[in-house]
Amino acid sequence: MDRNGTWLRRTVYVLLALGLLFGTAIGSYLLWERAPELNIEEGIAVPAVEEPSAAPTAEIASVSAPRERRSYTLLLVGNDDGNGNTDTMLVARLDTMAHRLDIVSLPRDTYVNIGWNIRKLNAVYTGTVNAGGVGIEGLKQQVKNLLGFGVDCYAIVDLALFIDTVDRIGGIDFDVPCDMDYDDPTQGLSIHLKAGPQHLNGQQAMGVVRYRSGYVNGDLDRVEVQQRFLKAAATQLLQRGLPQMKELAVLLGEHMETDLYPANIAFFLRQALLCESENIRFATMPNIPCDVAGLSYTFVDLEPWLQMINERLNPFDMLVTRENLDVVYKIPGGFGCTTGTPKGEWYLYS
């Protein structure tokens, strides 16, 4: 089998999830031979130890835990709503020893245990900035509360860049799942697509990944369509032999914020391409939709989520348990909180 054929056998969506979101991967591969060490956070979050006289607290600390060899976690973030919110959030775990890649979508409406009026995960980045903090640090903390451990690294991409990217690779063939008609002049957003297989240009592709108003399950259905689009785009990009990838690496690198070195990115891409398709999995955080105080949220479905964390995302030789998390979750007739007391107004939990 020739080189392109081998890549096709090992594809699915990994190139778009890691290549496009990380941007400079191919270009850096041409310039670097080995990656410097990553800034790895060696710990799993656990409730802080308190003195008997101390007041109750929901603070989270880290403890040392044995780590699996050459297994890394990444937070991939996209800003695609025009308001600064991070509507696309993925956590990936790449095991470079077993050649396995897991990518889990975190729904944008995930309820986070903070004392703000709007407690949605997609609002944390902007809310942190508005409060005088560093947006990615606030988001990483809330993701840590959801996972029980801190991610090793992150990348943030303005998903409007998809328009130019898709155009430069000649468009994407995709089976649009339904008629899409939506206009929002405040965002400069106009989506008008018919259902069925078609060749999408950049503007149309952006419409597909942003559309959600006509879905029964809103953003949860949009996440599923985004995953299908990533698979289709990655497969077609590999079939074309990556002729424009060096140019795209420069373009995407100019629109990405990350704590990774170019050599780290190249290392991840090389390792991901060693994964067989059956060892690359895409999933969504188990959740329960629920309206709270007039707003739509998705709450962690706690036990299935813990199982997914440990099976797909945990890079440590130590199981994550409910005591490691700081989340509010749905129970029959109300809500529970892994740290004992939810933050915010009590009326929300009655």
Side-chain angles (χ1 to χ4, degrees):
M1 183 179 292
D2 63 20
R3 185 176 181 181
N4 283 343
T6 300
W7 281 21
L8 287 171
R9 182 169 58 85
R10 294 176 175 175
T11 180
V12 292
Y13 39 79
V14 59
L15 184 63
L16 213 66
L18 291 178
L20 293 188
L21 284 178
F22 281 164
T24 60
I26 297 297
S28 61
Y29 175 76
L30 300 175
L31 299 173
W32 298 80
E33 294 297 327
R34 57 191 296 271
E37 291 295 321
L38 291 176
N39 181 19
I40 300 295
E41 181 173 346
E42 296 288 353
I44 289 181
V46 297
V49 177
E50 302 168 5
E51 296 295 330
S53 60
T57 178
E59 291 299 314
I60 297 295
S62 291
V63 296
S64 178
R67 189 181 181 98
E68 295 182 7
R69 291 183 58 199
R70 298 186 67 187
S71 185
Y72 307 97
T73 56
L74 310 94
L75 174 62
L76 312 178
V77 181
N79 174 2
D80 64 344
D81 78 339
N83 296 316
N85 291 336
T86 56
D87 274 12
T88 301
M89 291 163 287
L90 311 171
V91 177
R93 177 180 182 267
L94 178 61
D95 184 337
T96 63
M97 296 290 286
H99 302 303
R100 289 195 298 262
L101 175 65
D102 279 286
I103 303 174
V104 176
S105 297
L106 303 177
R108 51 161 275 168
D109 294 333
T110 298
Y111 191 103
V112 290
N113 192 21
I114 53 180
W116 302 351
N117 290 332
I118 298 177
R119 298 167 171 86
K120 296 188 177 187
L121 184 62
N122 76 322
V124 169
Y125 186 99
T126 299
T128 302
V129 172
N130 292 341
V134 179
I136 188 59
E137 294 303 321
L139 181 57
K140 285 171 58 181
Q141 179 60 54
Q142 293 306 320
V143 171
K144 179 178 180 179
N145 292 348
L146 288 169
L147 295 174
F149 56 86
V151 294
D152 299 325
C153 41
Y154 73 89
I156 304 173
V157 176
D158 181 352
L159 292 190
L161 185 62
F162 261 41
I163 295 174
D164 199 4
T165 301
V166 172
D167 284 339
R168 293 198 185 197
I169 64 176
I172 297 294
D173 294 326
F174 187 68
D175 189 357
V176 178
C178 64
D179 289 348
M180 297 182 176
D181 289 291
Y182 181 76
D183 290 287
D184 185 350
T186 62
Q187 296 187 46
L189 183 60
S190 180
I191 303 172
H192 298 285
L193 293 166
K194 293 296 183 182
Q198 54 200 280
H199 189 76
L200 303 176
N201 62 26
Q203 188 68 46
Q204 293 167 329
M206 177 54 67
V208 167
V209 300
R210 292 185 65 179
Y211 180 80
R212 67 187 177 94
S213 65
Y215 296 140
V216 173
N217 296 312
D219 186 62
L220 298 178
D221 287 343
R222 178 173 71 160
V223 166
E224 180 181 350
V225 173
Q226 287 177 341
Q227 293 172 356
R228 287 166 49 198
F229 180 84
L230 291 177
K231 294 178 186 180
T235 300
Q236 292 168 50
L237 195 56
L238 288 174
Q239 288 173 335
R240 296 169 192 175
L242 313 180
Q244 304 96 349
M245 190 54 71
K246 188 173 181 180
E247 176 187 356
L248 288 177
V250 175
L251 169 70
L252 295 168
E254 293 174 351
H255 296 269
M256 180 177 65
E257 175 190 336
T258 183
D259 58 354
L260 288 168
Y261 291 99
N264 298 139
I265 300 169
F267 170 77
F268 282 137
L269 183 61
R270 291 197 302 270
Q271 294 299 317
L273 289 173
L274 294 174
C275 299
E276 299 288 349
S277 58
E278 62 268 22
N279 290 329
I280 303 173
R281 298 183 294 180
F282 216 131
T284 300
M285 181 192 79
N287 62 86
I288 301 174
C290 182
D291 289 347
V292 176
L295 294 176
S296 298
Y297 287 95
T298 53
F299 286 81
V300 171
D301 192 356
L302 187 57
E303 295 306 322
W305 176 230
L306 284 170
Q307 182 177 351
M308 182 176 289
I309 290 172
N310 286 311
E311 290 181 353
R312 302 195 177 206
L313 297 175
N314 185 3
F316 299 97
D317 292 325
M318 173 180 173
L319 289 178
V320 172
T321 69
R322 60 190 294 146
E323 288 76 20
N324 303 134
L325 309 185
D326 181 7
V327 300
V328 177
Y329 57 95
K330 190 76 174 65
I331 59 177
F335 301 89
C337 182
T338 57
T339 52
T341 304
K343 298 181 177 70
E345 298 85 349
W346 283 102
Y347 76 89
L348 294 179
Y349 309 100
S350 59

